[in-house]
Amino acid sequence: MEHYSFIQNKECEYFPCHKTDNPEDFNCLFCYCPLYCLGDKCGGNFKYTESGIKSCVDCLRPHVRESYKEITGQLGEVMKLIEKNKSENL
């Protein structure tokens, strides 16, 4: 494993920010999920609240040690979304 693909911040007052049976494998690298903006195409275990807000409280996908390549592999989709939004706002 590449060392840059895993980091823990055990001093964080929220560590771990999601319930997990394996806190020793909890990855803080993607503290804020870079795939959140993909909505229902993020691939995580999310739900929409009654008010329509996407809730990722039950999602561990960005925090699993082995998810680094999956997450970074989807960043192209995030870039496409950014480009689309940019062109729509010109």
Side-chain angles (χ1 to χ4, degrees):
M1 177 194 296
E2 297 86 359
H3 293 283
Y4 58 81
S5 65
F6 182 83
I7 188 169
Q8 281 191 330
N9 184 5
K10 291 183 179 179
E11 294 179 18
C12 176
E13 58 270 25
Y14 300 107
F15 182 84
C17 59
H18 295 269
K19 291 180 185 176
T20 178
D21 293 333
N22 302 310
E24 65 279 356
D25 288 326
F26 193 88
N27 193 352
C28 299
L29 181 65
F30 299 118
C31 178
Y32 293 96
C33 183
L35 306 180
Y36 181 87
C37 63
L38 296 179
D40 62 358
K41 294 176 180 52
C42 69
N45 182 28
F46 67 92
K47 296 175 184 141
Y48 285 106
T49 66
E50 287 183 20
S51 59
I53 304 296
K54 183 178 174 184
S55 172
C56 304
V57 72
D58 295 324
C59 183
L60 284 171
R61 186 171 186 232
H63 301 295
V64 174
R65 185 184 287 263
E66 294 81 17
S67 291
Y68 178 82
K69 287 187 180 185
E70 291 177 19
I71 299 289
T72 57
Q74 282 187 272
L75 292 179
E77 295 302 313
V78 173
M79 295 305 295
K80 287 178 189 175
L81 182 63
I82 291 169
E83 288 299 316
K84 179 183 175 210
N85 288 339
K86 190 167 88 175
S87 66
E88 289 176 358
N89 290 320
L90 288 178

Coordinates of all heavy atoms in Angstrom, one line a residue:
M1 N 0.8 -1.2 0.0 CA 0.0 0.0 0.0 C 0.9 1.2 0.0 O 1.9 1.3 0.7 CB -0.9 0.0 1.2 CG -1.7 1.3 1.3 SD -2.6 1.7 2.8 CE -3.7 0.4 2.9
E2 N 0.4 2.3 -0.7 CA 1.1 3.5 -0.8 C 0.8 4.3 0.5 O -0.3 4.4 1.0 CB 0.7 4.4 -2.0 CG 1.0 3.7 -3.3 CD -0.1 2.8 -3.8 OE1 -1.1 2.5 -3.1 OE2 0.1 2.2 -4.9
H3 N 1.8 4.8 1.2 CA 1.6 5.5 2.5 C 0.8 6.7 2.4 O 0.1 7.1 3.3 CB 3.0 5.8 3.1 CG 3.7 4.6 3.5 ND1 3.4 3.9 4.6 CD2 4.8 3.9 2.9 CE1 4.2 2.8 4.7 NE2 5.0 2.9 3.7
Y4 N 0.8 7.4 1.2 CA 0.0 8.6 1.0 C -1.5 8.3 1.0 O -2.3 9.2 1.0 CB 0.4 9.4 -0.2 CG 0.3 8.5 -1.5 CD1 -1.0 8.4 -2.1 CD2 1.4 7.9 -2.1 CE1 -1.1 7.6 -3.3 CE2 1.3 7.2 -3.2 CZ 0.0 7.0 -3.8 OH -0.1 6.3 -5.0
S5 N -1.9 7.1 0.8 CA -3.4 6.7 0.7 C -4.1 6.5 2.0 O -5.3 6.1 2.0 CB -3.5 5.5 -0.2 OG -2.9 4.4 0.4
F6 N -3.4 6.6 3.1 CA -4.0 6.4 4.4 C -3.4 7.3 5.5 O -2.2 7.5 5.6 CB -3.8 4.9 4.9 CG -4.4 4.6 6.2 CD1 -5.8 4.2 6.2 CD2 -3.7 4.7 7.4 CE1 -6.4 3.9 7.4 CE2 -4.3 4.3 8.6 CZ -5.7 4.0 8.6
I7 N -4.3 8.0 6.2 CA -3.9 8.8 7.3 C -5.0 8.8 8.4 O -6.2 8.6 8.1 CB -3.7 10.3 6.9 CG1 -3.1 11.1 8.0 CG2 -5.0 10.9 6.4 CD1 -2.6 12.5 7.5
Q8 N -4.6 8.9 9.6 CA -5.5 8.9 10.7 C -5.2 10.2 11.6 O -4.1 10.5 11.8 CB -5.4 7.7 11.7 CG -6.1 6.5 11.1 CD -6.2 5.4 12.2 OE1 -5.4 5.3 13.1 NE2 -7.3 4.6 12.1
N9 N -6.3 10.8 12.0 CA -6.1 12.0 12.9 C -6.8 11.6 14.2 O -8.0 12.0 14.5 CB -6.7 13.2 12.3 CG -6.5 14.4 13.2 OD1 -5.8 14.4 14.2 ND2 -7.1 15.5 12.8
K10 N -6.2 10.8 15.0 CA -6.8 10.3 16.3 C -7.0 11.5 17.3 O -7.7 11.3 18.2 CB -5.9 9.2 16.9 CG -6.0 7.9 16.1 CD -5.2 6.8 16.7 CE -5.4 5.6 15.9 NZ -4.6 4.5 16.5
E11 N -6.3 12.6 17.0 CA -6.5 13.7 17.9 C -7.8 14.5 17.6 O -8.2 15.4 18.4 CB -5.3 14.6 17.9 CG -4.0 13.9 18.5 CD -2.8 14.8 18.4 OE1 -2.9 16.1 18.2 OE2 -1.7 14.3 18.5
C12 N -8.4 14.3 16.5 CA -9.6 14.9 16.1 C -10.7 14.6 17.1 O -10.9 13.5 17.4 CB -10.0 14.5 14.7 SG -11.6 15.2 14.1
E13 N -11.4 15.6 17.5 CA -12.5 15.4 18.5 C -13.6 14.6 17.9 O -14.5 14.1 18.7 CB -13.0 16.8 19.0 CG -13.5 17.7 17.9 CD -12.5 18.6 17.4 OE1 -11.3 18.3 17.4 OE2 -12.9 19.7 16.8
Y14 N -13.7 14.4 16.6 CA -14.7 13.6 16.0 C -14.3 12.1 15.6 O -15.0 11.4 15.1 CB -15.3 14.3 14.8 CG -15.9 15.6 15.1 CD1 -15.2 16.8 14.8 CD2 -17.1 15.7 15.8 CE1 -15.7 18.0 15.1 CE2 -17.6 16.9 16.2 CZ -16.9 18.1 15.8 OH -17.4 19.3 16.1
F15 N -13.0 11.8 15.9 CA -12.5 10.5 15.4 C -13.1 9.4 16.3 O -13.1 9.4 17.5 CB -10.9 10.5 15.6 CG -10.4 9.2 15.1 CD1 -10.1 9.0 13.8 CD2 -10.1 8.1 16.0 CE1 -9.6 7.8 13.3 CE2 -9.6 6.9 15.6 CZ -9.3 6.8 14.2
P16 N -13.5 8.3 15.6 CA -13.9 8.3 14.2 C -15.3 8.9 14.0 O -16.1 8.8 14.9 CB -14.0 6.8 13.9 CG -14.3 6.2 15.2 CD -13.7 7.0 16.3
C17 N -15.5 9.6 12.9 CA -16.7 10.4 12.7 C -17.9 9.5 12.3 O -19.0 10.0 12.2 CB -16.5 11.5 11.7 SG -15.9 10.9 10.1
H18 N -17.6 8.3 12.0 CA -18.7 7.3 11.6 C -18.5 6.1 12.5 O -17.3 5.7 12.9 CB -18.6 6.9 10.2 CG -18.8 7.9 9.2 ND1 -20.1 8.2 8.7 CD2 -18.0 8.8 8.6 CE1 -20.0 9.2 7.8 NE2 -18.8 9.6 7.8
K19 N -19.6 5.4 12.9 CA -19.5 4.2 13.7 C -18.7 3.1 12.8 O -19.0 2.9 11.7 CB -20.9 3.7 14.0 CG -21.6 4.6 15.0 CD -22.9 4.0 15.4 CE -23.6 5.0 16.3 NZ -25.0 4.6 16.6
T20 N -17.8 2.5 13.5 CA -17.0 1.4 12.8 C -16.6 0.4 13.8 O -16.3 0.7 15.0 CB -15.8 2.0 12.1 OG1 -15.1 0.9 11.5 CG2 -14.9 2.8 13.0
D21 N -16.5 -0.9 13.4 CA -16.0 -1.9 14.2 C -14.4 -2.0 14.1 O -13.8 -2.8 14.8 CB -16.5 -3.3 13.7 CG -18.0 -3.4 14.0 OD1 -18.5 -2.7 15.0 OD2 -18.7 -4.1 13.3
N22 N -13.9 -1.2 13.2 CA -12.4 -1.3 12.9 C -11.8 0.1 13.0 O -11.3 0.6 11.9 CB -12.1 -1.9 11.6 CG -12.7 -3.3 11.5 OD1 -12.4 -4.2 12.4 ND2 -13.4 -3.6 10.4
P23 N -11.8 0.8 14.1 CA -11.2 2.1 14.1 C -9.7 2.2 13.7 O -9.3 3.2 13.2 CB -11.4 2.6 15.6 CG -11.7 1.4 16.3 CD -12.2 0.4 15.4
E24 N -9.0 1.1 13.9 CA -7.6 1.1 13.5 C -7.4 1.2 12.0 O -6.3 1.5 11.5 CB -6.9 -0.2 14.0 CG -7.4 -1.5 13.4 CD -8.7 -2.1 14.0 OE1 -9.2 -1.5 15.0 OE2 -9.1 -3.1 13.5
D25 N -8.5 0.9 11.2 CA -8.4 1.0 9.7 C -9.2 2.2 9.2 O -9.4 2.3 8.0 CB -9.0 -0.3 9.1 CG -8.1 -1.5 9.2 OD1 -6.8 -1.3 9.2 OD2 -8.6 -2.6 9.4
F26 N -9.6 3.0 10.1 CA -10.4 4.2 9.7 C -9.5 5.2 9.0 O -8.6 5.8 9.6 CB -11.1 4.8 10.9 CG -12.2 5.8 10.6 CD1 -13.5 5.4 10.3 CD2 -11.9 7.2 10.4 CE1 -14.5 6.3 10.0 CE2 -12.9 8.1 10.1 CZ -14.2 7.6 9.9
N27 N -9.8 5.6 7.8 CA -9.0 6.5 7.0 C -9.6 7.9 7.0 O -10.7 8.1 6.6 CB -8.9 6.0 5.5 CG -7.9 6.7 4.7 OD1 -7.3 7.6 5.2 ND2 -7.6 6.2 3.5
C28 N -8.8 8.8 7.5 CA -9.3 10.2 7.6 C -8.9 11.0 6.3 O -9.2 12.2 6.2 CB -8.7 10.9 8.8 SG -9.1 10.1 10.3
L29 N -8.2 10.4 5.3 CA -7.7 11.1 4.2 C -8.9 11.9 3.5 O -8.7 13.1 3.1 CB -7.1 10.2 3.2 CG -6.5 10.8 1.9 CD1 -5.4 11.7 2.3 CD2 -6.1 9.7 1.0
F30 N -10.0 11.3 3.3 CA -11.1 11.9 2.7 C -12.1 12.4 3.8 O -13.3 11.9 3.8 CB -11.8 11.0 1.6 CG -10.9 10.6 0.5 CD1 -10.6 9.3 0.3 CD2 -10.4 11.6 -0.3 CE1 -9.7 8.9 -0.7 CE2 -9.5 11.2 -1.4 CZ -9.2 9.9 -1.6
C31 N -11.7 13.2 4.6 CA -12.5 13.7 5.7 C -13.9 14.2 5.2 O -14.9 13.8 5.7 CB -11.8 14.8 6.5 SG -12.7 15.4 7.9
Y32 N -13.8 15.0 4.2 CA -15.0 15.4 3.4 C -15.0 14.7 2.1 O -14.0 14.8 1.3 CB -15.0 16.9 3.2 CG -15.2 17.6 4.5 CD1 -14.1 18.1 5.2 CD2 -16.5 17.8 5.0 CE1 -14.3 18.8 6.4 CE2 -16.6 18.5 6.2 CZ -15.5 19.0 6.9 OH -15.7 19.7 8.1
C33 N -16.0 13.9 1.9 CA -16.0 13.0 0.7 C -15.9 13.8 -0.6 O -16.8 14.6 -0.8 CB -17.2 12.1 0.7 SG -17.2 10.9 -0.7
P34 N -14.9 13.6 -1.5 CA -14.9 14.3 -2.7 C -15.9 13.9 -3.7 O -16.1 14.6 -4.8 CB -13.5 14.0 -3.2 CG -13.1 12.7 -2.6 CD -13.8 12.7 -1.3
L35 N -16.7 12.8 -3.4 CA -17.7 12.3 -4.3 C -19.1 12.8 -3.9 O -20.1 12.4 -4.6 CB -17.6 10.8 -4.4 CG -16.3 10.2 -4.7 CD1 -16.3 8.7 -4.8 CD2 -15.8 10.8 -6.1
Y36 N -19.2 13.5 -2.9 CA -20.6 13.9 -2.4 C -21.3 14.6 -3.5 O -22.5 14.4 -3.7 CB -20.4 14.9 -1.2 CG -21.7 15.4 -0.6 CD1 -22.4 14.6 0.3 CD2 -22.3 16.6 -1.1 CE1 -23.6 15.0 0.9 CE2 -23.5 17.0 -0.6 CZ -24.1 16.2 0.4 OH -25.3 16.7 0.9
C37 N -20.7 15.4 -4.3 CA -21.4 16.2 -5.3 C -21.9 15.4 -6.4 O -22.7 15.8 -7.3 CB -20.4 17.3 -5.9 SG -19.0 16.6 -6.7
L38 N -21.5 14.1 -6.5 CA -22.1 13.2 -7.5 C -23.5 12.7 -7.2 O -24.0 12.0 -8.0 CB -21.1 12.0 -7.7 CG -19.7 12.4 -8.3 CD1 -18.9 11.1 -8.4 CD2 -19.8 13.1 -9.6
G39 N -24.0 13.1 -6.1 CA -25.4 12.7 -5.8 C -25.5 11.2 -5.7 O -24.7 10.5 -5.0
D40 N -26.5 10.7 -6.3 CA -26.8 9.2 -6.3 C -25.8 8.4 -7.1 O -25.9 7.2 -7.1 CB -28.2 8.9 -6.7 CG -28.5 9.3 -8.1 OD1 -27.6 9.9 -8.8 OD2 -29.7 9.1 -8.5
K41 N -24.8 9.0 -7.7 CA -23.8 8.3 -8.5 C -22.5 8.2 -7.7 O -21.5 7.8 -8.3 CB -23.6 8.9 -9.8 CG -24.8 8.8 -10.7 CD -24.6 9.6 -12.0 CE -25.8 9.5 -12.9 NZ -27.1 9.9 -12.4
C42 N -22.4 8.5 -6.4 CA -21.2 8.5 -5.7 C -20.8 7.1 -5.3 O -19.6 6.8 -5.1 CB -21.4 9.3 -4.4 SG -22.5 8.5 -3.2
G43 N -21.7 6.1 -5.3 CA -21.3 4.7 -5.0 C -21.3 4.4 -3.5 O -21.0 3.3 -3.1
G44 N -21.7 5.4 -2.7 CA -21.7 5.1 -1.2 C -23.0 4.7 -0.7 O -24.0 4.7 -1.4
N45 N -23.0 4.5 0.6 CA -24.2 4.1 1.4 C -24.9 5.3 2.0 O -24.8 5.6 3.1 CB -23.9 3.1 2.4 CG -25.1 2.6 3.2 OD1 -26.2 2.5 2.6 ND2 -24.9 2.2 4.4
F46 N -25.6 6.1 1.1 CA -26.2 7.4 1.6 C -27.7 7.2 1.6 O -28.3 6.3 1.0 CB -25.8 8.5 0.7 CG -26.4 8.4 -0.7 CD1 -27.6 8.9 -1.0 CD2 -25.7 7.7 -1.7 CE1 -28.1 8.8 -2.3 CE2 -26.2 7.5 -2.9 CZ -27.4 8.1 -3.2
K47 N -28.3 8.2 2.2 CA -29.8 8.3 2.2 C -30.2 9.7 2.0 O -29.4 10.6 2.3 CB -30.4 7.8 3.5 CG -30.2 6.3 3.7 CD -30.7 5.9 5.1 CE -30.3 4.5 5.3 NZ -29.9 4.2 6.6
Y48 N -31.3 10.0 1.5 CA -31.8 11.4 1.4 C -32.8 11.6 2.6 O -33.6 10.7 2.9 CB -32.5 11.7 0.1 CG -31.6 11.9 -1.0 CD1 -31.4 10.9 -2.0 CD2 -30.8 13.0 -1.1 CE1 -30.5 11.1 -3.1 CE2 -29.9 13.2 -2.2 CZ -29.8 12.2 -3.1 OH -28.9 12.4 -4.2
T49 N -32.6 12.7 3.3 CA -33.5 13.0 4.4 C -34.9 13.4 3.9 O -35.0 13.6 2.7 CB -32.9 14.1 5.3 OG1 -32.9 15.3 4.5 CG2 -31.6 13.8 5.8
E50 N -35.8 13.5 4.8 CA -37.2 13.9 4.4 C -37.2 15.3 3.7 O -38.0 15.6 2.8 CB -38.1 14.0 5.6 CG -38.5 12.6 6.1 CD -39.5 12.7 7.2 OE1 -40.1 13.7 7.4 OE2 -39.6 11.7 7.9
S51 N -36.2 16.1 4.1 CA -36.1 17.5 3.5 C -35.2 17.5 2.2 O -35.0 18.5 1.7 CB -35.6 18.5 4.5 OG -34.3 18.1 4.9
G52 N -34.8 16.3 1.7 CA -34.1 16.2 0.5 C -32.6 16.4 0.6 O -31.9 16.5 -0.4
I53 N -32.0 16.4 1.8 CA -30.6 16.6 2.0 C -29.9 15.2 2.0 O -30.4 14.2 2.6 CB -30.3 17.2 3.3 CG1 -31.0 18.6 3.5 CG2 -28.8 17.4 3.6 CD1 -30.6 19.6 2.5
K54 N -28.8 15.1 1.2 CA -28.1 13.8 1.2 C -27.4 13.6 2.5 O -26.6 14.4 2.9 CB -27.1 13.9 0.0 CG -26.3 12.6 -0.2 CD -25.4 12.7 -1.4 CE -24.5 11.6 -1.5 NZ -23.5 11.7 -2.6
S55 N -27.6 12.5 3.1 CA -27.0 12.1 4.4 C -26.1 11.0 4.2 O -26.5 9.9 3.8 CB -28.1 11.8 5.5 OG -27.4 11.3 6.6
C56 N -24.8 11.1 4.6 CA -23.8 10.1 4.5 C -23.4 9.5 5.8 O -22.3 8.9 6.0 CB -22.6 10.7 3.8 SG -23.0 11.4 2.2
V57 N -24.2 9.7 6.8 CA -23.9 9.3 8.2 C -23.6 7.8 8.3 O -22.8 7.4 9.1 CB -25.0 9.8 9.2 CG1 -26.3 9.0 9.0 CG2 -24.5 9.7 10.6
D58 N -24.2 7.0 7.4 CA -24.0 5.6 7.5 C -23.0 5.1 6.4 O -22.9 3.9 6.2 CB -25.3 4.8 7.3 CG -26.3 5.1 8.4 OD1 -25.9 5.2 9.6 OD2 -27.5 5.1 8.1
C59 N -22.3 6.0 5.8 CA -21.4 5.6 4.7 C -20.0 5.6 5.2 O -19.5 6.6 5.7 CB -21.5 6.6 3.5 SG -20.5 6.1 2.1
L60 N -19.3 4.5 5.0 CA -17.9 4.4 5.4 C -17.0 4.3 4.1 O -15.8 4.2 4.3 CB -17.7 3.1 6.2 CG -18.1 3.2 7.6 CD1 -18.1 1.8 8.3 CD2 -17.3 4.2 8.4
R61 N -17.5 4.4 2.9 CA -16.8 4.2 1.7 C -15.5 5.0 1.7 O -14.4 4.5 1.4 CB -17.6 4.4 0.5 CG -16.8 4.1 -0.8 CD -17.7 4.2 -2.0 NE -17.0 3.7 -3.2 CZ -16.9 4.4 -4.3 NH1 -17.6 5.5 -4.4 NH2 -16.2 4.0 -5.3
P62 N -15.5 6.3 1.9 CA -14.3 7.1 1.9 C -13.3 6.8 3.0 O -12.2 7.3 3.0 CB -14.8 8.6 1.8 CG -16.1 8.5 2.4 CD -16.7 7.2 2.1
H63 N -13.8 6.1 4.0 CA -13.0 5.9 5.2 C -12.4 4.5 5.4 O -11.8 4.2 6.3 CB -13.8 6.2 6.5 CG -14.3 7.7 6.5 ND1 -13.5 8.7 6.6 CD2 -15.6 8.1 6.4 CE1 -14.2 9.8 6.5 NE2 -15.5 9.5 6.4
V64 N -12.7 3.7 4.4 CA -12.2 2.3 4.4 C -10.8 2.4 3.8 O -10.5 3.0 2.7 CB -13.1 1.4 3.5 CG1 -12.5 0.0 3.4 CG2 -14.4 1.3 4.2
R65 N -9.8 1.8 4.4 CA -8.4 1.8 4.0 C -8.2 1.5 2.5 O -7.4 2.1 1.8 CB -7.6 0.8 4.9 CG -6.2 0.9 4.7 CD -5.4 -0.2 5.5 NE -5.4 0.1 6.9 CZ -4.4 0.6 7.5 NH1 -3.3 1.0 6.8 NH2 -4.4 0.8 8.8
E66 N -9.0 0.5 2.0 CA -8.8 0.0 0.6 C -9.5 0.9 -0.4 O -9.4 0.5 -1.6 CB -9.2 -1.4 0.5 CG -8.4 -2.4 1.3 CD -8.8 -2.4 2.8 OE1 -9.9 -2.0 3.2 OE2 -7.9 -2.9 3.6
S67 N -10.2 1.9 0.0 CA -11.1 2.7 -1.0 C -10.3 3.7 -1.8 O -10.9 4.4 -2.7 CB -12.2 3.3 -0.3 OG -13.1 2.3 0.1
Y68 N -9.1 4.0 -1.5 CA -8.3 5.1 -2.1 C -8.4 5.1 -3.6 O -8.8 6.1 -4.2 CB -6.9 5.1 -1.6 CG -6.1 6.2 -2.3 CD1 -6.1 7.5 -1.8 CD2 -5.3 5.9 -3.4 CE1 -5.4 8.5 -2.4 CE2 -4.6 6.9 -4.0 CZ -4.6 8.2 -3.5 OH -3.9 9.2 -4.1
K69 N -8.1 4.0 -4.2 CA -8.1 3.9 -5.7 C -9.5 4.0 -6.3 O -9.6 4.6 -7.3 CB -7.4 2.6 -6.2 CG -5.9 2.6 -6.0 CD -5.2 1.5 -6.6 CE -3.7 1.6 -6.3 NZ -2.9 0.6 -6.9
E70 N -10.5 3.5 -5.6 CA -11.9 3.6 -6.1 C -12.3 5.1 -6.1 O -12.8 5.6 -7.0 CB -12.8 2.8 -5.2 CG -12.7 1.3 -5.3 CD -13.6 0.7 -4.3 OE1 -14.6 1.3 -3.8 OE2 -13.4 -0.5 -4.0
I71 N -12.0 5.8 -5.0 CA -12.4 7.2 -4.8 C -11.6 8.0 -5.8 O -12.3 8.8 -6.6 CB -12.1 7.7 -3.4 CG1 -12.9 6.9 -2.3 CG2 -12.4 9.2 -3.3 CD1 -14.3 7.1 -2.3
T72 N -10.3 7.9 -5.9 CA -9.6 8.7 -6.9 C -9.9 8.4 -8.3 O -9.9 9.2 -9.2 CB -8.1 8.6 -6.6 OG1 -7.6 7.2 -6.7 CG2 -7.7 9.2 -5.3
G73 N -10.3 7.1 -8.5 CA -10.8 6.7 -9.9 C -12.0 7.4 -10.3 O -12.3 7.5 -11.5
Q74 N -12.8 7.9 -9.4 CA -14.1 8.6 -9.8 C -13.9 10.1 -9.8 O -14.9 10.8 -10.1 CB -15.2 8.3 -8.7 CG -15.8 6.9 -8.9 CD -17.0 6.7 -8.0 OE1 -16.8 6.3 -6.9 NE2 -18.1 7.1 -8.5
L75 N -12.7 10.6 -9.5 CA -12.5 12.1 -9.5 C -12.7 12.7 -10.9 O -13.1 13.8 -11.1 CB -11.2 12.4 -9.0 CG -11.0 12.2 -7.5 CD1 -9.6 12.5 -7.0 CD2 -12.1 12.9 -6.7
G76 N -12.5 11.9 -12.0 CA -12.8 12.3 -13.3 C -14.3 12.7 -13.5 O -14.6 13.7 -14.2
E77 N -15.2 12.0 -12.8 CA -16.6 12.3 -12.9 C -16.9 13.7 -12.2 O -17.7 14.4 -12.6 CB -17.4 11.2 -12.2 CG -17.4 9.9 -13.0 CD -17.9 10.0 -14.4 OE1 -18.9 10.7 -14.7 OE2 -17.2 9.5 -15.3
V78 N -16.1 13.9 -11.1 CA -16.3 15.2 -10.4 C -15.8 16.3 -11.3 O -16.5 17.3 -11.3 CB -15.5 15.1 -9.0 CG1 -15.5 16.5 -8.4 CG2 -16.0 14.1 -8.1
M79 N -14.7 16.1 -12.0 CA -14.2 17.1 -12.9 C -15.2 17.4 -14.0 O -15.3 18.6 -14.4 CB -12.8 16.7 -13.4 CG -11.7 16.6 -12.4 SD -11.5 18.1 -11.4 CE -11.0 19.3 -12.6
K80 N -15.8 16.4 -14.5 CA -16.8 16.6 -15.6 C -18.0 17.4 -15.0 O -18.5 18.3 -15.7 CB -17.3 15.3 -16.1 CG -16.4 14.5 -16.9 CD -17.0 13.2 -17.4 CE -16.0 12.3 -18.0 NZ -16.5 10.9 -18.3
L81 N -18.4 17.2 -13.8 CA -19.5 17.9 -13.2 C -19.1 19.4 -13.0 O -19.8 20.3 -13.3 CB -19.9 17.3 -11.9 CG -21.0 18.0 -11.1 CD1 -22.3 17.9 -11.9 CD2 -21.2 17.3 -9.8
I82 N -17.8 19.6 -12.6 CA -17.3 21.0 -12.4 C -17.3 21.7 -13.8 O -17.7 22.9 -13.9 CB -15.9 21.0 -11.8 CG1 -16.0 20.5 -10.4 CG2 -15.2 22.3 -11.9 CD1 -14.7 20.2 -9.7
E83 N -16.8 21.0 -14.8 CA -16.8 21.7 -16.1 C -18.2 22.0 -16.7 O -18.4 23.0 -17.2 CB -16.0 20.8 -17.1 CG -14.5 20.7 -16.9 CD -13.9 22.1 -17.1 OE1 -14.2 22.8 -18.0 OE2 -13.0 22.4 -16.2
K84 N -19.1 21.0 -16.4 CA -20.5 21.3 -16.9 C -21.1 22.5 -16.1 O -21.7 23.3 -16.8 CB -21.3 20.0 -16.5 CG -22.8 20.2 -16.9 CD -23.6 18.9 -16.5 CE -25.0 19.2 -16.8 NZ -25.9 18.5 -16.0
N85 N -20.9 22.5 -14.8 CA -21.4 23.7 -14.1 C -20.8 25.0 -14.5 O -21.4 26.0 -14.6 CB -21.2 23.5 -12.6 CG -22.2 22.4 -12.0 OD1 -23.2 22.1 -12.6 ND2 -21.8 21.8 -10.9
K86 N -19.5 24.9 -14.8 CA -18.8 26.1 -15.2 C -19.3 26.6 -16.5 O -19.6 27.8 -16.7 CB -17.3 25.8 -15.3 CG -16.4 27.0 -15.5 CD -14.9 26.7 -15.3 CE -14.3 26.2 -16.6 NZ -12.9 26.0 -16.5
S87 N -19.5 25.7 -17.5 CA -20.0 26.1 -18.8 C -21.5 26.6 -18.7 O -21.9 27.5 -19.5 CB -19.9 25.0 -19.8 OG -20.8 23.9 -19.5
E88 N -22.3 26.1 -17.8 CA -23.7 26.5 -17.7 C -23.7 27.9 -17.0 O -24.7 28.6 -17.2 CB -24.4 25.5 -16.8 CG -24.7 24.2 -17.5 CD -25.4 23.2 -16.6 OE1 -25.7 23.5 -15.4 OE2 -25.7 22.1 -17.1
N89 N -22.7 28.3 -16.3 CA -22.7 29.6 -15.6 C -22.0 30.7 -16.4 O -21.8 31.8 -15.9 CB -22.1 29.4 -14.2 CG -23.0 28.6 -13.3 OD1 -24.3 28.8 -13.4 ND2 -22.5 27.8 -12.5
L90 N -21.6 30.4 -17.6 CA -20.9 31.5 -18.4 C -21.9 32.4 -19.0 O -22.9 32.2 -19.3 CB -20.0 30.8 -19.5 CG -18.8 30.1 -19.0 CD1 -18.0 29.5 -20.1 CD2 -17.9 31.1 -18.2

